[in-house]
Amino acid sequence: MRSYEELIVEVIDVRGSYYQIGLQQSKVLLSHSHPIQNGFPNLTNKTNVQMAKQLLQFHCPSLVQEMEGLAVGLTQTTDSVIKMYSGYNITFPEMGCTSFVQNGKYIRNYDFSPTLYDARLVFSNPMNGYASVGFSQQIIGRLDGMNEFGLVVGLHFVNSEYHDEGFIASTIVRILLEQCKNIEEALKLIRELPHGYCYNYSMTDQSGQSIVVEASPQKQEEKYGNPLICTNHFEATSMKEKNKKNIQGSVNRKHFLNSLVEKNLTTMATYRHFNNGNSPLFFKHYKEYFGTLHTVIYSPKLLEVIVGIGEDAEPIIISFKDYLDEALTLPKRLTGRIYPHNEDGIE
């Protein structure tokens, strides 16, 4: 029998003012050891706290309010919380992600290491902001998510070699979900935000259009597509020079998804292609920060989320619409299994 590790993702429900949401998140942090706190303080040692605070106050003051509540709950200073969780000038290991948008559904694999994975699916319903659901990173940030208007955004690491002062992608995803109702609004805002590293951002909304924004600290390029495929490399001529030297694994994943386009698969058949442990889209190099941790499908028109944790997971369907209508009891956690690969290698 194959050796596996159990992966537990907590389902978090926060609501109220952003300050109150910060307080609620602090209780979760105090009851669980968070990876950023436990052994990885060097990730944030270059953070310019005052600049981070100034930029957030300008672009998304609600996140400052959330971190103020978080600071009170953790009995820390606001500056220390901003340094730890704002995602400004943070250094972070490479990660992989594959997204596919077809027939109004956004499906995605997130590939990283369980040692730096928040393992939190957060349902947030602030009294003075947009409600959203998504997987968190560094508590404040989001790896992917969907808001109450059906805007879906996910991040895709490209390269950390070309960097500047700015936010990591998980903070940018959160800001877009907080501020924007659709792709048009997201495009306007993403051009204004300071980008710390090179990432792709895949997006869709209730209109059915979808887009990839290729973003470096210096500039951003846009590419619409339907269906849309996004992995971990830039394709715009003006951006290719910022790719890693070896992008073949990312290119291979895109080729595989292109082969699925004409099959026009059902939602669940597509899910199986992403979540099956033998799929070219599923990886097990967890020690090298490249193992698939979750598969998620966001449905903007239905306001529905389908989640699978780990490998060959039975998908869990959750109605975000029912959550917004306060007609849903959320599960406390989602569980799955991962089977770490014994060989080295990153795809």
Side-chain angles (χ1 to χ4, degrees), residues 47-64:
T47 301
N48 183 330
V49 174
Q50 295 308 311
M51 182 59 70
K53 185 187 300 184
Q54 180 180 330
L55 288 167
L56 285 172
Q57 285 284 15
F58 180 78
H59 291 291
C60 196
S62 58
L63 294 190
V64 178

Side-chain angles (χ1 to χ4, degrees), residues 16 18 44 65 121 125 143 175 200 221 227 234 315 320 333 343:
Y18 280 98
T44 62
Q65 296 165 20
L121 178 61
N125 195 0
L143 300 167
I175 292 174
N200 285 325
E221 297 283 357
F234 290 149
F320 187 51
R333 62 186 57 85
E343 298 177 7

Side-chain angles (χ1 to χ4, degrees), residues 98-100 200 212 214 223 228-235 247-261 280-281:
T98 305
S99 294
F100 180 47
N200 285 325
V212 172
E214 299 184 355
K223 179 183 178 182
L228 184 83
I229 298 169
C230 186
T231 52
N232 299 101
H233 64 281
F234 290 149
E235 295 188 325
I247 62 170
Q248 194 57 51
S250 179
V251 172
N252 290 345
R253 279 179 279 138
K254 184 156 189 177
H255 285 336
F256 177 75
L257 281 171
N258 274 318
S259 73
L260 299 183
V261 169
L281 305 177

